[in-house]
């Protein structure tokens, strides 16, 4: 079984994000970039499937600038076999990313595609679902458990009421949630080996995909600063302020 894993280069979750002075976007100058945490979970799940003997090959793909090779090498060090970078310097929408991934899926013909449920920069939670719609594959989103059995995969997914288990016919698309696993750290020997693993670079034009968007970012602003909290002396005073000042009761 071939498993395709999509990974994204994002601002590291420990970094305090700053907006550019002209409000045109997020300031990325001299900012530490990392693999999206949900994508790390996706890579880990693919590696575990290979360790169980279920998966035979893991291909990781990323869409972004040349510097995204760094995150692909990280995925290779974690256990992926080869990598594909669809190089683009454009600001891509979720639909454009899904179209590019669809082209890669058509090229690679994987039996299972694993993505993080969302990226921590845009927080859209759309790409996996859009890819499923474009490819016609079955989808299991927000996965907290994945089990392969023959030509199907059982996905336990988190929903508002608790947990739901769905059975999907392969090929299928799975998006990962936080409780699926805990990603490992890459060992130094594997980091060195990853430098020699194959990494293919493609372009949207080579895949025959247009990434033009009908959306345009007009302005980016930092969230408003919160006002300082206050202490109250009694429950009665708290109720009074909630009723007359906050007007929430």
């Amino acid at each position: 079984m071939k498993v395709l894993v999509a990974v994204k280069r994002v601002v590291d979750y420990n970094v305090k994000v700053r907006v550019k002075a002209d409000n045109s976007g997020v300031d990325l100058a001299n900012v530490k970039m990392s693999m999206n945490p949900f994508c790390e979970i996706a890579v880990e799940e693919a590696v575990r499937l290979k360790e169980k003997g279920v998966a035979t090959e893991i291909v990781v793909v990323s869409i972004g600038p040349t510097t995204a090779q760094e995150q692909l090498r990280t995925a290779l060090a974690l256990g992926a076999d080869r990598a594909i970078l669809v190089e683009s310097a454009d600001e891509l929408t979720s639909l454009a990313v899904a179209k590019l991934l669809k082209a890669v899926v058509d090229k690679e013909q994987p039996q299972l595609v694993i993505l993080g449920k969302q990226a921590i920069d845009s927080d859209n939670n759309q790409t996996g679902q859009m890819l499923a719609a474009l490819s016609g594959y079955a989808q299991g989103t927000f996965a907290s458990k994945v089990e392969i059995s023959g030509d199907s995969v059982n996905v336990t997914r988190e929903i508002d009421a608790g947990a739901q288990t769905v059975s999907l016919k392969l090929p299928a698309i799975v998006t990962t949630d936080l409780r699926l696993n805990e990603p490992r750290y890459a060992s130094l020997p594997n980091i060195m080996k990853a430098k020699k693993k194959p990494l293919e670079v493609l372009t949207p034009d080579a895949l025959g995909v247009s990434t033009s968007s009908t959306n345009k970012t007009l302005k980016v602003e930092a969230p408003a600063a919160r006002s300082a909290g206050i202490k109250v002396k009694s429950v009665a005073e708290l109720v009074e302020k909630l009723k007359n000042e906050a007007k929430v009761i």
Side-chain angles (χ1 to χ4, degrees):
M1 173 190 285
K2 181 189 290 187
V3 180
L4 182 74
V5 183
V7 301
K8 186 177 183 183
R9 176 182 172 89
V10 299
V11 176
D12 189 87
Y13 68 92
N14 288 310
V15 173
K16 181 176 176 59
V17 176
R18 300 186 305 273
V19 175
K20 292 180 179 178
D22 60 0
N23 294 111
S24 62
V26 174
D27 187 3
L28 299 180
N30 301 315
V31 171
K32 181 183 178 183
M33 307 293 285
S34 301
M35 188 191 303
N36 179 49
F38 288 101
C39 298
E40 290 182 346
I41 295 171
V43 173
E44 175 65 25
E45 190 63 22
V47 173
R48 292 189 184 190
L49 289 174
K50 187 176 181 181
E51 289 174 343
K52 292 176 183 177
V54 176
T56 55
E57 183 182 24
I58 301 171
V59 182
V60 288
V61 57
S62 187
I63 301 167
T66 304
T67 47
Q69 291 189 26
E70 178 186 353
Q71 281 64 49
L72 288 173
R73 291 295 180 191
T74 299
L76 292 172
L78 291 171
D81 298 297
R82 57 189 177 90
I84 299 172
L85 172 63
V86 182
E87 196 170 64
S88 175
D90 298 334
E91 185 178 343
L92 302 176
T93 63
S94 298
L95 181 57
V97 172
K99 287 179 178 178
L100 290 168
L101 289 176
K102 164 67 163 52
V104 175
V105 167
D106 290 343
K107 177 177 178 290
E108 292 291 332
Q109 294 293 307
Q111 285 71 53
L112 184 64
V113 183
I114 310 179
L115 307 89
K117 72 170 185 176
Q118 66 195 75
I120 61 171
D121 52 0
S122 58
D123 266 344
N124 286 333
N125 183 13
Q126 296 174 330
T127 304
Q129 292 88 329
M130 288 178 172
L131 177 58
L134 292 171
S135 63
Y137 285 10
Q139 62 174 312
T141 55
F142 319 131
S144 59
K145 187 176 182 181
V146 175
E147 295 178 308
I148 307 290
S149 177
D151 63 347
S152 64
V153 53
N154 292 332
V155 178
T156 301
R157 55 191 302 269
E158 298 191 4
I159 58 175
D160 291 342
Q164 176 190 63
T165 301
V166 294
S167 180
L168 313 174
K169 285 289 184 183
L170 296 174
I173 292 170
V174 173
T175 70
T176 62
D177 213 336
L178 286 172
R179 293 171 185 82
L180 181 58
N181 61 53
E182 185 175 341
R184 70 192 68 190
Y185 291 99
S187 65
L188 183 58
N190 286 340
I191 292 173
M192 301 305 293
K193 291 177 183 177
K195 295 179 180 179
K196 297 181 179 180
K197 290 184 178 180
L199 193 158
E200 183 181 5
V201 179
L202 302 172
T203 63
D205 289 341
L207 293 171
V209 177
S210 172
T211 58
S212 59
S213 174
T214 55
N215 298 335
K216 181 180 179 182
T217 301
L218 300 178
K219 191 176 183 181
V220 177
E221 294 180 314
R226 291 185 179 183
S227 57
I230 61 171
K231 291 183 178 181
V232 295
K233 295 180 180 179
S234 65
V235 174
E237 185 182 354
L238 172 62
V239 172
E240 188 273 331
K241 288 187 177 294
L242 290 175
K243 185 177 181 179
N244 298 321
E245 293 184 17
K247 298 187 185 300
V248 293
I249 60 173

